[in-house]
Amino acid sequence: MLRRFTDWLTDRLFEPSRRRYLAILSFFSVVLLPVCGMAVFSYWQTDAELTKAALARRRTIAYLAGVSIKEKLDRMVDLAVSLATRVRFRQLVAAGDWEQAVAILAEVPRDFLFVDRVLLADPEGTVMADRPRIDALDTSLAYTDWYRGVSGGATPYVSEIYQRPREPAVNLVAIAVPIRQRDEMIGILVLEVRLSVFLDWVGNISVGPGGSVYFVDRKGRAASHSAYPAGGKIVDLAAVPEVQKVLAGQSGVELHADPTAREERISAYEPIPGYGWGVIATQPAGAAFSAKHATLRRLVKIYAFIIFLSCGLAYVIWRTLADRKRAEQESRKLNEELKQRTVQLELANRELEAFSYSVSHDLRAPLRSINGFSQALLEECGPALSPTAKSYLNRVRAATVRMGQLIEGILELGRVTRSQVRVGPVNLSALAEEIAAELRASDPVRSVQFAIARNACARGDSRLLHSVLANLLGNAWKFTSKQPLAKIEFGVSEDGGERVFFVRDNGVGFDMAYADRLFGPFQRLHHLTEFEGAGIGLATVQRIIYRHGGKIWAEGAVGRGAAFYFTLPG
């Protein structure tokens, strides 16, 4: 058919008549219209993908900044709690010897540079002692935000931003912790932190040219902002739309107009869980999309060149009726380039795997050294170490173990993503029985009732589905550890003609408001001190189910257990 069209076109091109020009016009239409259509579609698709990538990068920056500041706040709260629970310190507070009690903490501002001042108050909020001395003794601070927060819940509280009413009048955040004896609050320990510390913490986070990262407290006041000095007037950003959204618990990224700067900006916002604070990463749209615009300009030039080449080719065909040999050479060249690119892609994948292995090995080696030397120090110098020093070393060892678990989880997630899925019949009931036996053997003392359905079969990769059940049943085993009689069930049901497999337990459960975070890497709904884990298991499960073409979801309630449902095609 193509040959007949070529012959017809040849006759018409060299025919001295009106049909010759119609044939030329038809040829140009056949050649140029698809090229122009492909150029427009490719331009639109590339623009959408690059826009999505730019927005995703800013959202990732906001998320990582939020994780960083949460870790810093957690560290400050942990420090305040550890100081407030010292036995001698509590005894002095209980005896009313406030000056001796604060003398124990006199070196804290020097040892922990982010602490500006240590303050002790009685349960009514009256200042009893501080270091360095700023407030007059017997001054009531019951009006402060930190006093209302700590007295209302009797738990550690991170205050809103405020300015110290006395010199030096600096902007501060207070970490207030109740000092308790038995079940009674006998005093309040307050660590005051300057806002300049927050600016130092985020100073190394780069959004890009013209961009900035800033944090706001629960009332929308800026804790750190590159445009405002940390020691100046407290800046209220509560009217900014992104701040309002992040304080409402929302996270996202959007393109909006900035009326003050008369330009468009990209703003990504992420709440900081547990503190009511939020982080915003913002950058002018022109700077954020500069790489995208450069790529699109190159794409336009490439397609302009292609169209120009098509016109030149049409002219040559019109003059010489196409050089078929050259077309064959071009085709072979493209095929050869495709083969070369395929080989390069395979080499890149191998190098990536080798890099992952090398990174994991290089990371594990110093972790083992840290853990080993910490253990050696505990064993050899244990009697000479204070309880606080031993606690610090044990926390170092625990952190290295958790870091190792995170590294292993990341590698496992990568292996699941890259591994080939070998589909075949799988007896999920047999796999569940095997995993249940292993869990019982790991802790024979526990009283756990397993209910496993018989002959629950599916089609999939046996090795990957074993990992799915191992993670789901392992989570059920872990989160039922506080139940006197734990119940774990694996079964299958029908839903609209589709088989739905499930793992159900009567453990601690979870709040459905946070269900969308369950399957994200490193997302945890319970504190590490309650239940161990790296936060990778459910992300691995989700990727395996998605690679099989299935879907997975969860249901639960706090204190009433959880259920995980998944489907498998076929």
Side-chain angles (χ1 to χ4, degrees), residues 57-96:
R57 178 178 179 273
R58 275 70 192 176
R59 186 167 185 179
T60 300
I61 291 173
Y63 171 77
L64 293 177
V67 171
S68 175
I69 200 66
K70 184 180 187 304
E71 186 273 334
K72 302 295 186 183
L73 292 173
D74 287 345
R75 179 188 172 199
M76 291 192 296
V77 171
D78 289 344
L79 172 63
V81 171
S82 66
L83 294 175
T85 54
R86 289 183 176 181
V87 176
R88 180 57 180 163
F89 174 77
R90 288 188 300 175
Q91 290 174 346
L92 291 171
V93 171

Side-chain angles (χ1 to χ4, degrees), residues 422 424-429 431 456-463 465-466:
R422 297 179 174 86
V426 181
N427 188 332
L428 297 179
S429 296
L431 292 179
C457 297
R459 289 188 59 79
D461 188 303
S462 176
R463 177 179 58 85
L465 293 181
H466 181 280

Side-chain angles (χ1 to χ4, degrees), residues 279-297:
V279 56
I280 295 93
T282 181
Q283 185 184 18
F289 292 144
S290 60
K292 181 190 78 168
H293 293 154
T295 301
L296 292 177
R297 284 193 293 269

Side-chain angles (χ1 to χ4, degrees), residues 217-298:
D217 66 7
R218 59 181 63 86
K219 283 193 174 179
R221 290 174 292 198
S224 67
H225 198 303
S226 58
Y228 305 107
K233 182 180 178 181
I234 295 177
V235 181
D236 189 354
L237 302 177
V240 177
E242 303 83 64
V243 174
Q244 295 175 351
K245 292 178 181 179
V246 79
L247 294 183
Q250 301 178 28
S251 62
V253 60
E254 57 189 35
L255 183 65
H256 62 90
D258 186 346
T260 58
R262 296 183 180 180
E263 63 179 359
E264 284 193 323
R265 298 186 72 85
I266 293 178
S267 293
Y269 43 93
E270 193 77 22
I272 301 176
Y275 296 98
W277 289 33
V279 56
I280 295 93
T282 181
Q283 185 184 18
F289 292 144
S290 60
K292 181 190 78 168
H293 293 154
T295 301
L296 292 177
R297 284 193 293 269
R298 288 195 297 268

Side-chain angles (χ1 to χ4, degrees), residues 23 211 353 467:
E353 292 178 2
S467 178

Side-chain angles (χ1 to χ4, degrees), residues 507-525:
V508 295
F510 62 89
D511 190 340
M512 285 296 292
Y514 304 103
D516 57 338
R517 296 171 47 191
L518 284 173
F519 300 100
F522 308 113
Q523 296 290 330
R524 296 178 54 87
L525 301 186

